[in-house]
Amino acid sequence: MSAIPEPQGQNMNVSAPPPSARPGRRVRLKLAPQWITVLVLLGALVIWQLVAVAGVFPPFALPSPVAVWKAFVGILRQGYGGQSLSADIGISCFRILIGFVGAIVIGVPVGLLMSRNKVVFDIIDPLLQFVRPVPPLAYIPLLVVWFGIGELPKAILILVGTIPVIIIGTISGVKSTPPLRVSVARTLGASQAQIFRKVILPSALPEIFTAMRVGIGVAWTCLVAAELIAASSGLGWLVQFAGQALQVSIVIVGIVIIGLIGYAMELVIRKIETLVVPWRGHN
């Protein structure tokens, strides 16, 4: 058979067009996560404004974003209920830090001890499982009777509500330690103390930080519950006091501030986790 002659005047090494130039192929625009978040928030504000303008709800029940902003500026300048906004924010953050740090200082060692000693686990676990499902509001009358309406009952309420999360997260972190790591360390001659310090504790740290991130939300829930009933200052008190006066715009201001501060604390915990546990996700 004779060879088929190549076409004349044609370049057989024509490169394929780039993907963006191929017919029928769509060009996808990639947005940074920060911009996606901004667009979502702007979209929510636009929908909120449209619903408020349309009069779906009465103005006193759903004020517009503009009205909420004006309320925020007003209480920022003049305060509310005899308290400045900065004072309410400061006292709430102080209560959170006292109770939350106390829960970490107590909860992490207790969780480590429970995970390493069955007798301690059998003693504490029933109490822990009894306290955990009880809502924070149920403890408030007892704490007020026992300790009054000062700062101590609020800190104790935050600690009692948060510490089960910290303890359970710590126990879960210890139990999730890969047995192979412990076996290798024991084969290399490491003592029990070295195994705990160099293998088990680093392996448990990611779970412990996850428990902290969950616990900060629980801490804010407990704080607002305490300030709704037994307080004369704080963001929870601000929301309750404004709600009784049907000043919904101020209620929304308080809710937004609580959410922003809680999110900021979550970011701080994430940053600390990145510094302390840089190997997370790279095991």
Side-chain angles (χ1 to χ4, degrees):
M1 292 181 63
S2 59
I4 300 176
E6 295 184 1
Q8 299 295 325
Q10 295 183 4
N11 185 4
M12 300 302 294
N13 297 323
V14 177
S15 59
S20 59
R22 293 176 186 173
R25 191 177 182 91
R26 297 179 179 177
V27 179
R28 296 180 180 179
L29 297 177
K30 293 184 179 180
L31 294 176
Q34 297 86 345
W35 285 108
I36 295 176
T37 302
V38 171
L39 291 176
V40 170
L41 292 176
L42 289 177
L45 287 175
V46 170
I47 294 173
W48 178 8
Q49 181 69 29
L50 292 176
V51 171
V53 171
V56 178
F57 299 97
F60 72 89
L62 182 65
S64 66
V66 175
V68 172
W69 174 256
K70 290 180 179 179
F72 169 71
V73 173
I75 63 174
L76 186 63
R77 293 175 177 174
Q78 303 173 0
Y80 186 75
Q83 296 281 345
S84 66
L85 182 59
S86 59
D88 287 330
I89 293 175
I91 192 63
S92 291
C93 291
F94 173 76
R95 291 165 179 165
I96 282 287
L97 290 177
I98 294 297
F100 183 65
V101 172
I104 294 173
V105 171
I106 298 173
V108 172
V110 170
L112 294 174
L113 190 60
M114 289 176 65
S115 62
R116 304 292 291 172
N117 191 309
K118 189 176 186 305
V119 175
V120 176
F121 181 88
D122 291 338
I123 293 173
I124 298 179
D125 186 64
L127 299 175
L128 184 68
Q129 300 306 325
F130 175 80
V131 170
R132 189 167 62 91
V134 179
L137 286 172
Y139 297 113
I140 293 177
L142 290 176
L143 294 176
V144 170
V145 171
W146 292 344
F147 304 106
I149 58 174
E151 298 303 321
L152 182 59
K154 299 175 184 61
I156 293 177
L157 182 66
I158 295 171
L159 188 146
V160 171
T162 308
I163 199 169
V165 179
I166 303 298
I167 293 176
I168 292 173
T170 303
I171 296 173
S172 175
V174 173
K175 291 185 179 298
S176 65
T177 302
L180 181 60
R181 295 181 184 176
V182 179
S183 300
V184 170
R186 189 174 290 116
T187 302
L188 294 175
S191 64
Q192 288 297 327
Q194 289 174 329
I195 291 175
F196 177 78
R197 190 173 65 255
K198 299 292 186 179
V199 178
I200 295 177
L201 185 58
S203 298
L205 281 176
E207 291 284 350
I208 294 174
F209 274 101
T210 299
M212 291 181 189
R213 292 168 57 187
V214 176
I216 194 66
V218 177
W220 273 103
T221 302
C222 296
L223 173 71
V224 173
E227 290 182 343
L228 288 177
I229 297 177
S232 57
S233 61
L235 293 173
W237 169 84
L238 172 69
V239 171
Q240 172 71 3
F241 195 78
Q244 292 176 346
L246 293 180
Q247 294 179 310
V248 180
S249 57
I250 297 179
V251 172
I252 295 176
V253 169
I255 292 173
V256 171
I257 292 175
I258 291 172
L260 290 176
I261 296 176
Y263 181 55
M265 291 183 173
E266 158 83 5
L267 293 179
V268 171
I269 295 174
R270 288 186 192 180
K271 183 62 177 178
I272 297 174
E273 180 183 9
T274 302
L275 298 174
V276 177
V277 195
W279 61 85
R280 181 168 192 175
H282 302 281
N283 294 331

